[in-house]
Amino acid sequence: IKIMLEKEAFIRCHQSWIVNIHEIEEIYSGSAGILLSNSMEITISKRYRVQFKENILEKCHLVANGI
């Protein structure tokens, strides 16, 4: 499942959470968390912070360019 989701617009931010980047409303840098469109707030774990940042920038670039 993880391999299938990585090809789409999903990103892991915590051991317990994989989120759809299209549902992210806001990314909090100070508290290392995200706000989803359903008003749910999720913490980006220390383990996934660097990977999340790299992946979100890459995926947002691909989406913006229609790839």
Side-chain angles (χ1 to χ4, degrees), residues 37-48:
S37 61
N38 65 359
S39 300
M40 180 179 241
E41 292 185 8
I42 298 175
T43 301
I44 304 169
S45 70
K46 288 181 183 179
R47 178 179 179 187
Y48 289 100

Side-chain angles (χ1 to χ4, degrees), residues 13-63:
C13 60
H14 192 279
Q15 184 176 353
S16 301
W17 294 100
I18 296 175
V19 298
N20 183 330
I21 64 168
H22 300 291
E23 299 299 322
I24 297 174
E25 293 289 324
E26 194 168 343
I27 300 173
Y28 307 122
S29 60
S31 62
I34 57 176
L35 175 66
L36 300 178
S37 61
N38 65 359
S39 300
M40 180 179 241
E41 292 185 8
I42 298 175
T43 301
I44 304 169
S45 70
K46 288 181 183 179
R47 178 179 179 187
Y48 289 100
R49 282 183 194 158
V50 172
Q51 180 183 355
F52 178 86
K53 182 179 178 181
E54 292 171 357
N55 286 340
I56 197 74
L57 290 173
E58 176 186 340
K59 289 179 188 266
C60 287
H61 174 75
L62 292 175
V63 169

